[in-house]
Amino acid sequence: MNLIIFGPPGAGKGTQSKFIVEKYKLFQLSTGEFLRKEIKNKSPLGLKISSVVNEGKLVSDEIVSKLIESIISQKSYKNRIIFDGYPRNLTQAKNLDILLKKYDQKIDLVLKLSVNLETIKKRISGRSICSICGKIYNDYYNPAPKKSNCCSSKFLQKRGDDTLEVAARRFETYERATEPILNFYKNSNLLKLINGERPIDQIYNEISDIIAFIEGWL
Ligand SMILES: [Zn+2]
């Protein structure tokens, strides 16, 4: 099966993707990562991308599409891809359908991890890191132990308010930009909304059940 996972920054998309990849032996196609790899390898496509990036321009849909095709055309990845960070717009979504069809494949499932902005703010504002041992805590979800030599409040560091503003802006931008794409997949009956407010293992179990159901169906 091929699937796409959507979720605003801070929704836990990375964690869930990692679980799915491991359990179902899928291949995670993160476009950002692949673009960087092509640049590093100085492939013909990589050189083209470098020149665009060096000019301060955005990598075009056409280039991204070439990159995607170079992966979905490989037999070893056939029907085993989890798309992360792609498609980013409706044009890319429609193009992805065409590309997959060319290689006798399709999208079987689209997941959207839904989290509201308040939760994301709590996750960020409650977060602290121990400057001694590097452990990460959260005032709301995973408070630091009251009695500890190392992780006491004087050693806990928090990020500034600016991080919160940036996070709120990124959240809103993400939600606005993905709305038309999600509608597109909703109309194709591929979209499953996952409540991302719950504990990580509960979310994972729900996703696993959905995938198991679809795998059985395929
Ligand atoms: Zn510590």
Side-chain angles (χ1 to χ4, degrees):
M1 71 176 319
N2 295 314
L3 69 96
I4 311 176
I5 186 162
F6 287 99
K13 186 164 63 92
T15 309
Q16 296 299 335
S17 301
K18 202 166 157 256
F19 284 145
I20 303 169
V21 163
E22 280 166 14
K23 180 163 181 185
Y24 293 95
K25 305 275 173 279
L26 295 182
F27 173 77
Q28 188 167 3
L29 204 174
S30 155
T31 41
E33 208 172 282
F34 269 90
L35 288 171
R36 286 190 291 277
K37 209 159 101 189
E38 293 286 327
I39 293 173
K40 203 174 149 222
N41 292 343
K42 296 195 167 69
S43 67
L45 190 60
L47 292 172
K48 206 171 165 187
I49 299 165
S50 296
S51 74
V52 172
V53 173
N54 288 338
E55 284 171 42
K57 290 186 196 149
L58 281 176
V59 179
S60 67
D61 281 356
E62 193 199 335
I63 290 179
V64 178
S65 167
K66 280 215 176 83
L67 181 80
I68 301 281
E69 181 163 6
S70 73
I71 292 151
I72 62 176
S73 59
Q74 294 178 44
K75 278 214 173 71
S76 53
Y77 300 141
K78 191 171 183 183
N79 285 319
R80 285 184 49 222
I81 303 173
I82 169 164
F83 293 90
D84 174 12
Y86 185 89
R88 282 189 189 276
N89 56 49
L90 207 49
T91 313
Q92 290 186 347
K94 288 176 180 168
N95 190 53
L96 180 60
D97 274 356
I98 296 168
L99 280 178
L100 285 169
K101 204 170 176 185
K102 188 171 163 188
Y103 297 95
D104 196 27
Q105 299 178 67
K106 61 182 171 59
I107 293 294
D108 301 291
L109 174 65
V110 177
L111 297 170
K112 161 79 195 291
L113 276 174
S114 298
V115 178
N116 69 49
L117 181 55
E118 286 318 303
T119 306
I120 287 181
K121 279 183 172 169
K122 269 184 169 176
R123 285 179 186 171
I124 294 168
S125 66
R127 195 182 136 105
S128 61
I129 180 164
C130 173
S131 56
I132 307 290
C133 70
K135 268 194 192 140
I136 294 167
Y137 297 100
N138 189 295
D139 301 345
Y140 304 99
Y141 306 108
N142 173 33
K146 285 267 183 301
K147 281 181 185 166
S148 163
N149 294 327
C150 170
C151 307
S152 64
S153 57
K154 62 179 170 185
F155 297 126
L156 293 179
Q157 290 178 336
K158 283 204 173 192
R159 291 196 277 183
D161 283 346
D162 51 332
T163 355
L164 215 55
E165 269 170 47
V166 172
R169 235 182 357 252
R170 285 177 67 200
F171 176 87
E172 271 146 20
T173 308
Y174 183 88
E175 294 290 277
R176 207 175 321 123
T178 48
E179 203 188 332
I181 318 171
L182 293 176
N183 278 332
F184 172 73
Y185 289 120
K186 192 176 161 191
N187 291 335
S188 325
N189 284 323
L190 292 172
L191 181 65
K192 292 266 184 240
L193 293 179
I194 308 289
N195 174 1
E197 302 276 339
R198 297 164 303 162
I200 289 174
D201 56 331
Q202 276 185 32
I203 300 172
Y204 174 60
N205 286 339
E206 186 184 354
I207 294 177
S208 285
D209 285 349
I210 295 171
I211 295 178
F213 179 78
I214 293 176
E215 288 267 88
W217 182 271
L218 287 173

